[in-house]
Amino acid sequence: HAMGSKVGEVLLYYCYCEVKDPEKLCAWQKALCQHLHLTGKIRVASEGINGTVGGSKVATSLYIDVMLSQPLFKDILCQEDFKSSAGGAHCFPDLRVGVFKEIVPMGIDPKIVSYKETGIHLSPQEFHREVEQYLSQASQGQSDTILLDCRNFYESKIGQFQGCLAPDIRKFSYFPSYIDENLELFKDKRVLMYCTGGIRCERGSAYLRSKAVCREVYQLKGGIHKYLEEFPDGFYRGKLFVFDDRYAICSNEDIISACRYCGALWDQYKLCSSQHCRQLVLTCPSCCSKGLTACCPVCQEKELKVTSRASGQTLKEECECTRRRPRVPIERVSQRRLDTGK
């Protein structure tokens, strides 16, 4: 159909608000997206809505209009809250709308740590100034600030703010334990937090504040997405990881990561070639052509054997990558050197 054929865009947004009937909101969302031929993922909960959808420009702008006029979000959500990037319906395999306990999976009951207790929101301009100040102080070895990446290791691996602390965690639900295990690190510090679109900081900052050890907690409003709109060549270097079939979007030409096999600069993810593995792997074209397409030797081996097994179900995620990584890394405070350079 004509609607899906034009070059479109992908929208990312969230809205924390009281949702009395999540099931009803969910059904409405599903119908709306189907009507507009939008694909993507939408999480609905009693604490709000979190979505990323793709379609034609006509469809996405209609979607925004409808969302802004929905009484539930009327005084909370605004045009600014929608982050957009080039893409379309083809960026997602299908449309998934569901009801969950949390709109971002931190694994902590929203009644216990609420989005209402967030840190101080900084605009991209304010955040930029803060990072600038932090980097100049840190280079003189006298910073009382921590620039904290709230995303997963495979996101920060291909793009991050200079001089940041990027936890080596596999999913956001490990973030609270990461804070708990490393509380000493945050004692009396000013913390500048950031994530992709701002939503993980809403709950992450609330969790950190609930520990009452930091001097202040700040967060980047609108996330890296909004920062890059203002400062495509600012202090965020590399690509921005996105949770759809594109894997990453680009604002500057920097490549900060390397091919897993040969070490050449490379930042384009592929899914591990081993059948049941969900790990992403950085393997450059020349290594790919040599058949190096798995995330680790264990998976590379497994791929050769998998054809002889009937069900293969038992193979799920047993690889070096998942075995070797501690669930929650303990930072050694003394060894935190600041990589403030490029």
Side-chain angles (χ1 to χ4, degrees):
H1 45 78
M3 212 166 188
S5 60
K6 294 196 228 30
V7 175
E9 61 183 0
V10 170
L11 297 178
L12 177 69
Y13 72 92
Y14 66 88
C15 182
Y16 277 105
C17 58
E18 212 174 304
V19 180
K20 293 265 192 286
D21 191 344
E23 296 294 341
K24 190 177 167 187
L25 178 60
C26 182
W28 173 73
Q29 272 297 310
K30 199 174 278 180
L32 173 62
C33 291
Q34 284 167 345
H35 180 70
L36 295 172
H37 303 293
L38 294 172
T39 57
K41 294 174 276 201
I42 297 167
R43 291 175 71 99
V44 176
S46 53
E47 61 167 358
I49 186 169
N50 171 19
T52 178
V53 294
S56 71
K57 288 258 179 148
V58 174
T60 52
S61 73
L62 276 169
Y63 182 80
I64 293 175
D65 291 345
V66 174
M67 291 297 281
L68 295 179
S69 62
Q70 156 66 257
L72 202 53
F73 314 128
K74 211 167 169 59
D75 301 316
I76 314 165
L77 205 55
C78 63
Q79 189 85 34
E80 266 293 278
D81 295 319
F82 290 87
K83 298 105 200 173
S84 68
S85 53
H90 61 274
C91 296
F92 302 91
D94 51 20
L95 172 68
R96 288 181 197 181
V97 190
V99 174
F100 297 84
K101 197 171 175 141
E102 307 169 274
I103 57 172
V104 66
M106 189 166 81
I108 305 263
D109 192 316
K111 289 186 195 72
I112 297 169
V113 174
S114 164
Y115 64 89
K116 293 172 180 144
E117 308 297 324
T118 59
I120 298 159
H121 293 70
L122 299 179
S123 69
Q125 292 83 355
E126 292 168 322
F127 196 83
H128 186 76
R129 282 200 298 275
E130 280 288 345
V131 174
E132 192 163 35
Q133 203 179 347
Y134 157 71
L135 289 173
S136 72
Q137 285 172 350
S139 62
Q140 295 149 31
Q142 52 181 31
S143 185
D144 59 348
T145 302
I146 291 179
L147 179 53
L148 180 64
D149 194 320
C150 297
R151 301 170 304 156
N152 309 323
F153 76 89
Y154 53 86
E155 299 175 78
S156 55
K157 191 192 265 184
I158 61 165
Q160 54 176 243
F161 273 96
Q162 289 165 245
C164 75
L165 169 63
D168 192 14
I169 53 174
R170 198 163 62 89
K171 41 185 172 179
F172 187 57
S173 55
Y174 298 166
F175 183 78
S177 318
Y178 176 83
I179 297 293
D180 295 351
E181 298 289 332
N182 294 287
L183 261 189
E184 228 2 77
L185 191 65
F186 298 101
K187 214 167 153 51
D188 302 323
K189 290 280 195 285
R190 299 170 74 244
V191 179
L192 297 171
M193 300 174 103
Y194 68 88
C195 61
T196 309
I199 187 169
R200 282 180 276 187
C201 288
E202 301 280 16
R203 295 285 309 289
S205 67
Y207 187 80
L208 184 53
R209 286 191 65 208
S210 75
K211 298 289 154 185
V213 295
C214 299
R215 222 171 73 208
E216 287 152 329
V217 180
Y218 297 96
Q219 66 200 75
L220 172 57
K221 189 176 181 331
I224 302 159
H225 234 295
K226 286 288 182 190
Y227 177 84
L228 289 176
E229 282 178 21
E230 308 276 341
F231 303 100
D233 221 13
F235 298 118
Y236 185 89
R237 307 313 303 174
K239 309 265 186 303
L240 172 58
F241 186 96
V242 288
F243 290 90
D244 58 58
D245 294 349
R246 298 170 299 172
Y247 288 132
I249 50 186
C250 172
S251 81
N252 56 59
E253 294 308 307
D254 282 12
I255 299 178
I256 69 162
S257 50
C259 169
R260 187 224 187 284
Y261 291 99
C262 72
L265 284 176
W266 189 248
D267 63 4
Q268 291 172 42
Y269 279 120
K270 275 188 163 53
L271 209 49
C272 171
S273 53
S274 176
Q275 205 182 340
H276 296 281
C277 185
R278 304 299 302 154
Q279 299 284 324
L280 292 170
V281 59
L282 291 170
T283 170
C284 74
S286 90
C287 289
C288 269
S289 65
K290 292 177 191 143
L292 299 168
T293 51
C295 64
C296 66
V298 174
C299 274
Q300 200 76 46
E301 275 299 291
K302 195 162 67 178
E303 202 189 344
L304 305 172
K305 282 184 272 187
V306 76
T307 37
S308 57
R309 287 213 198 180
S311 79
Q313 254 338 93
T314 51
L315 294 175
K316 195 166 165 55
E317 286 254 359
E318 26 169 89
C319 72
E320 241 176 66
C321 306
T322 46
R323 271 209 304 259
R324 278 207 329 251
R325 165 164 285 101
R327 246 188 72 142
V328 177
I330 311 288
E331 304 290 348
R332 297 279 163 256
V333 182
S334 59
Q335 56 137 63
R336 255 201 76 225
R337 359 173 276 303
L338 286 163
D339 300 319
T340 51
K342 292 273 171 84

